[in-house]
Amino acid sequence: MTPTSSLKRPSKRSSKKQRALEILVRLQRLYPDATCSLNYSTTVQLLVATILSAQCTDERVNKVTSVLFARFPDAASLANADLGEIEELVRTTGFYRNKAKNIQGACRMIMKDFGGQVPNRMDDLLKLPGVARKTANVVLAHAFGINAGVTVDTHVKRLTNRLGLTEHDDPIRIERDLMKLLPQPDWENWSIRLIYHGRAVCKARNPACDRCELADLCPSNGKG
């Protein structure tokens, strides 16, 4: 047996991981100052803004929360607010009745079960109305500095599929794939930078592959 014949070829998993790490390095270089786009002053405001961001742009959410938080700045005021008033204030974010109900329900639970403080454990956050892993990951990372998982929104879902880092459509399965490929300290900043790239370059309908810094790492390059 020759020395070279005993060498193993890189596995599909290892080559995918190497590619993911190179993509991470490039995203860090492209978007060094990328941060959460939602405006908030407190943890409960971050929670509420993230709930509102479902199927809505951060720009629109920030316009809505500037008025919402001036009227109801904390969990106690939102818990005791007139639900119809919350609905009217968040109307333009879409699905406003459900969002208003979840916001008030979450704030009431925070007041009743968590001493008025947003919990800092994934299991507890997931008990709150309107909170799934995406919202919980955002709150844990940006309010508590805890990288418990990878935030998967529509941009992250689209780009990770295009980049060949997952074969799944379900956000939870995508998150599991990414957690295996990326270092834990980079889980949240990966998502933020990928969102920036999705907005600026890799758009849903017309991805700009000709000016994409990730093109040579992307199996979807040129496929539109």
Side-chain angles (χ1 to χ4, degrees), residues 171-182:
I172 292 178
R173 298 183 75 178
I174 292 172
E175 181 183 6
R176 288 173 183 164
D177 286 345
L178 293 174
M179 288 168 71
K180 294 174 184 176
L181 296 175
L182 301 165

Side-chain angles (χ1 to χ4, degrees), residues 19-69:
R19 196 155 44 85
L21 294 175
E22 176 60 27
I23 291 168
L24 173 62
V25 169
R26 295 190 193 184
L27 289 173
Q28 289 171 333
R29 185 179 71 245
L30 288 168
Y31 310 103
D33 301 318
T35 187
C36 179
S37 300
L38 296 170
N39 295 336
Y40 62 94
S41 298
T42 66
T43 304
V44 73
Q45 288 183 4
L46 174 60
L47 174 70
V48 170
T50 309
I51 290 173
L52 291 174
S53 71
Q55 304 298 313
C56 184
T57 66
D58 290 353
E59 181 181 10
R60 168 56 58 185
V61 171
N62 287 336
K63 289 179 180 178
V64 166
T65 54
S66 66
V67 179
L68 177 67
F69 295 153

Side-chain angles (χ1 to χ4, degrees), residues 193-211:
R193 290 184 169 99
L194 209 60
I195 289 168
Y196 273 58
H197 195 66
R199 290 172 178 164
V201 180
C202 193
K203 299 181 180 181
R205 293 188 178 181
N206 296 301
C209 298
D210 58 325
R211 59 182 181 88

Side-chain angles (χ1 to χ4, degrees), residues 152-216:
V152 179
D153 75 343
T154 54
H155 291 289
V156 174
K157 177 180 177 179
R158 182 178 74 254
L159 269 67
T160 49
N161 271 276
R162 283 180 175 172
L163 289 165
L165 301 179
T166 184
E167 298 174 355
H168 301 299
D169 290 323
D170 175 63
I172 292 178
R173 298 183 75 178
I174 292 172
E175 181 183 6
R176 288 173 183 164
D177 286 345
L178 293 174
M179 288 168 71
K180 294 174 184 176
L181 296 175
L182 301 165
Q184 185 171 358
D186 294 299
W187 283 352
E188 183 60 19
N189 67 49
W190 159 274
S191 296
I192 291 177
R193 290 184 169 99
L194 209 60
I195 289 168
Y196 273 58
H197 195 66
R199 290 172 178 164
V201 180
C202 193
K203 299 181 180 181
R205 293 188 178 181
N206 296 301
C209 298
D210 58 325
R211 59 182 181 88
C212 180
E213 296 286 340
L214 308 179
D216 61 308

